[in-house]
Amino acid sequence: MSAEKDFAARVRGAFVGGMSGAVSIAAHALAGGAAPGQASAVLLLAAAAAVGLLAAGTRLPIVGVLAAGQVVGHGVLSLDTGHVHVPGAGMLAAHTAAIVVAALLVRGAEHGCRLGLTAVRRASVPPFAPAPVAVPGWTPVAHHPRVRRGLLVAAGLGTRGPPLTV
């Protein structure tokens, strides 16, 4: 799998998992449910992560994975209140519309991610590619100064460096 496809799969998984959890909480609140407690929030987070991993690891249709995430999220949030109920026609319509919109947003984000990564890859220089260096007519020249060491020492410009304790 190429780097672009791998990154796009991770983006898809993160978006699907996040949207499954967010839409589950929003639908639960709109249906008159209370805010989820700690146990339900942790279970919902685990369920959203599992749905995100499923979406990132497979090429199942996004709509089906989002629908499964909604069912699991609804079930987890219903456990907190102690009653499991069958959603009505209005709630099913709202969930269906949310799933379709979320699927379109995920597909758009995945496509935009691929386009952006492709543009960055085309604009950048490949790593570790040696650039050709052409130096015409280069020949090493040895330089021998005409001044003798004795003259340097006599002038006070010896070959020694500065003292250690200055």
Side-chain angles (χ1 to χ4, degrees):
M1 184 181 284
S2 70
E4 290 91 6
K5 288 183 181 179
D6 187 38
F7 188 74
R10 290 180 184 178
V11 167
R12 178 179 52 251
F15 280 7
V16 168
M19 284 189 184
S20 291
V23 172
S24 293
I25 289 175
H28 190 73
L30 288 175
Q38 275 186 333
S40 292
V42 170
L43 285 174
L44 182 63
L45 182 65
V51 168
L53 286 173
L54 178 69
T58 64
R59 291 302 299 174
L60 292 173
I62 296 295
V63 174
V65 176
L66 284 167
Q70 291 301 304
V71 170
V72 170
H74 183 78
V76 165
L77 291 175
S78 295
L79 291 175
D80 190 33
T81 58
H83 69 284
V84 179
H85 62 277
V86 177
M91 184 179 281
L92 286 176
H95 274 291
T96 304
I99 288 170
V100 170
V101 169
L104 291 174
L105 288 173
V106 168
R107 284 292 179 200
E110 187 177 355
H111 183 68
C113 178
R114 283 190 182 144
L115 288 177
L117 287 174
T118 302
V120 167
R121 189 191 67 212
R122 286 182 184 164
S124 65
V125 177
F128 306 114
V133 178
V135 182
W138 180 79
T139 54
V141 177
H143 177 66
H144 300 290
R146 294 184 182 194
V147 179
R148 307 252 183 219
R149 278 187 181 253
L151 290 175
L152 289 173
V153 172
L157 303 171
T159 58
R160 187 172 169 247
L164 289 174
T165 57
V166 174

